[in-house]
Amino acid sequence: MKFNTKTIHGGLENVDPAFGAVMPPIYQTSTYAQSKPGGHKGYEYSRTGNPTRGALEKAVASIENGAYGMAFGSGLAATDAILKLLRSGDEVLTSNNLYGGTYRLFTKVFEDFGLKFNFMDMEDAASLSAKITPNTKLIFIETPTNPMMNIIDIEAVAKIAKEQHILLAVDNTFASPYLQNPLDLGADIVMHSATKYLGGHSDVVMGVLAVKDEELAHKLYFIQNASGAIAGPQDSFLVLRGIKTLHLRMQRHCENGRAVAEFLKAHTKIDKVYWPGFEDHPNHEIAKKQMRDYGGMLSFTTKDDTLNGALSIVEKLKVFTLAESLGGVESLAGHPASMTHASVPKEEREKLGIKDSLIRLSVGVEDIEDLLADLQQAIG
Ligand SMILES: *Cc1c(COP(=O)(O)O)cnc(C)c1O
């Protein structure tokens, strides 16, 4: 099956043996009747397994070209499950340009349990080997990165990870499986905040994982059941529904993203536009190699380069909503320095390129004329 067909049919065979419903029913139940002790139809208790969640997990595995999927209560709960594969004393190599909540989970929760996190510039994959120690058990990356849209070469990192028998997990939230499939590039685990493009309608918080390896899958299912941060049946249904239009939405996100990036690049009041589709983006060649298109996420700075200038733009936007999050059908604008990255000291922020005038856009699927007119009136 090709990708677009998989978004609609992947993993969804015989979802309702009782009545033949085309969509998996929402099994809003905690438990399942047994004919005798142990005599059940594959489900005993909904933390361990639920048919609606199971249908979503199969669909996620299918669109990421994995064999096993797991759905959690949030993206961070999915990342939390990955970290629980490790033991006290193990080391994690990760990027210094991570989603803020992931950074917080690593440094404020798991460091206290004896895990060690080494943050580095992962764009230079060749320098990775020097940072690996005998205790390195996991490499965790995110590409494109938030909000600077840097690109990490998944295949190059995977090659080093394989040679050294280290697990590689990739947060694929920004790209979505429509643009990039980390498992095909050699990653062991792909993670998504399904809150974003997979759900796609800003109406659910959820996280998912997909893997190819059976033994790794069983360890993750064990953690999912033992720790219990599962996705509920209603939310599983919503994300299943979202996935069915992922390819249609992503196609428009990419078209609109490109048009907005080009509009901003040509605008006299705009300084830099960070979007991996531009040939002068520092990692454009890697993006071209590992992604099918460049998506709807981009950031830009203004020429006046002031905090107030940027705030005035985001406050004037009318079609773009000023909000955190991304990946929904509606266009959103964010100001990283005062919103998502406010907790990072100004000096540290600027080292990462997050200037006070940086604005991040999640370009939605509205008519492009309305999006450009809105940006024009706000930028002036
Ligand atoms: C939102 C997000 C997360 C966290 O997901 P939640 O569903 O909010 O827990 C992780 N990584 C990236 C890249 C995100 O955008």
Side-chain angles (χ1 to χ4, degrees):
M1 250 192 256
K2 292 181 69 181
F3 184 80
N4 297 347
T5 312
K6 280 190 189 175
T7 64
I8 296 163
H9 299 287
L12 298 183
E13 276 152 33
N14 197 20
V15 292
D16 179 26
F19 299 110
V22 169
M23 272 303 276
I26 301 169
Y27 284 93
Q28 193 72 46
T29 186
S30 61
T31 191
Y32 307 81
Q34 306 192 5
S35 57
K36 55 180 190 292
H40 56 77
K41 297 177 175 162
Y43 296 93
E44 293 163 89
Y45 185 62
S46 278
R47 169 162 36 70
T48 318
N50 172 283
T52 317
R53 190 177 93 222
L56 169 68
E57 290 173 333
K58 288 198 183 99
V60 167
S62 168
I63 57 174
E64 274 293 10
N65 300 332
Y68 307 90
M70 301 98 203
F72 296 85
S74 70
L76 286 174
T79 300
D80 176 275
I82 298 174
L83 291 168
K84 285 175 179 162
L85 292 166
L86 306 180
R87 295 287 169 270
S88 173
D90 288 349
E91 293 179 14
V92 181
L93 261 179
T94 187
S95 154
N96 52 16
N97 211 332
L98 280 181
Y99 175 75
T102 306
Y103 178 81
R104 184 176 56 199
L105 178 68
F106 288 180
T107 57
K108 298 279 201 282
V109 178
F110 279 100
E111 267 184 6
D112 287 347
F113 287 90
L115 295 187
K116 195 173 158 213
F117 297 87
N118 288 319
F119 297 90
M120 61 170 289
D121 176 7
M122 288 273 178
E123 280 170 87
D124 182 11
S127 67
L128 193 65
S129 304
K131 307 264 174 157
I132 292 172
T133 78
N135 294 331
T136 310
K137 295 289 157 61
L138 173 72
I139 298 175
F140 187 98
I141 61 173
E142 178 183 320
T143 178
T145 65
N146 175 35
M148 299 313 296
M149 304 305 295
N150 294 329
I151 305 290
I152 295 168
D153 188 336
I154 299 173
E155 207 168 11
V157 174
K159 191 162 169 281
I160 296 165
K162 278 249 146 49
E163 281 166 12
Q164 309 272 349
H165 307 289
I166 298 167
L167 279 179
L168 171 62
V170 178
D171 179 341
N172 202 25
T173 302
F174 264 44
S176 91
Y178 176 83
L179 295 178
Q180 140 187 311
N181 298 113
L183 299 181
D184 290 346
L185 300 170
D188 300 292
I189 305 172
V190 58
M191 172 265 162
H192 284 275
S193 167
T195 313
K196 319 294 169 52
Y197 286 109
L198 294 185
H201 295 74
S202 308
D203 52 9
V204 61
V205 173
M206 189 194 289
V208 296
L209 301 178
V211 304
K212 287 192 190 216
D213 183 72
E214 186 180 352
E215 196 186 330
L216 182 56
H218 287 303
K219 286 183 188 165
L220 288 165
Y221 284 130
F222 180 84
I223 292 166
Q224 184 191 35
N225 182 45
S227 286
I230 50 154
Q234 296 268 356
D235 288 351
S236 296
F237 177 86
L238 283 173
V239 173
L240 259 173
R241 180 156 89 160
I243 288 174
K244 283 172 188 283
T245 56
L246 177 67
H247 56 305
L248 301 172
R249 289 183 283 110
M250 286 311 297
Q251 190 180 347
R252 182 64 68 84
H253 282 297
C254 289
E255 285 168 20
N256 283 357
R258 175 182 298 274
V260 167
E262 284 169 357
F263 167 84
L264 292 170
K265 198 174 196 187
H267 200 289
T268 52
K269 292 192 179 165
I270 300 306
D271 186 22
K272 283 216 168 75
V273 183
Y274 300 90
W275 179 67
F278 286 133
E279 278 179 19
D280 60 1
H281 181 286
N283 316 120
H284 176 69
E285 287 306 316
I286 299 167
K288 204 164 133 185
K289 182 180 75 164
Q290 71 189 14
M291 299 172 75
R292 295 180 193 96
D293 203 337
Y294 304 104
M297 295 302 300
L298 58 96
S299 297
F300 65 96
T301 51
T302 58
K303 276 203 182 126
D304 83 353
D305 200 21
T306 63
L307 174 68
N308 286 341
L311 293 180
S312 142
I313 293 173
V314 294
E315 283 164 19
K316 279 188 198 142
L317 287 167
K318 292 192 178 78
V319 182
F320 282 83
T321 303
L322 178 60
E324 300 205 356
S325 199
L326 62 114
V329 288
E330 55 287 286
S331 291
L332 302 180
H335 183 249
S338 62
M339 295 165 72
T340 49
H341 292 68
S343 60
V344 183
K346 186 174 158 83
E347 203 176 294
E348 288 298 311
R349 279 203 307 263
E350 299 208 332
K351 267 193 220 154
L352 298 172
I354 305 170
K355 291 181 163 194
D356 281 351
S357 78
L358 188 82
I359 293 171
R360 187 189 84 176
L361 300 180
S362 169
V363 181
V365 299
E366 299 94 337
D367 281 311
I368 189 62
E369 294 80 1
D370 292 324
L371 298 181
L372 297 185
D374 194 34
L375 287 165
Q376 180 61 50
Q377 65 80 22
I379 297 166

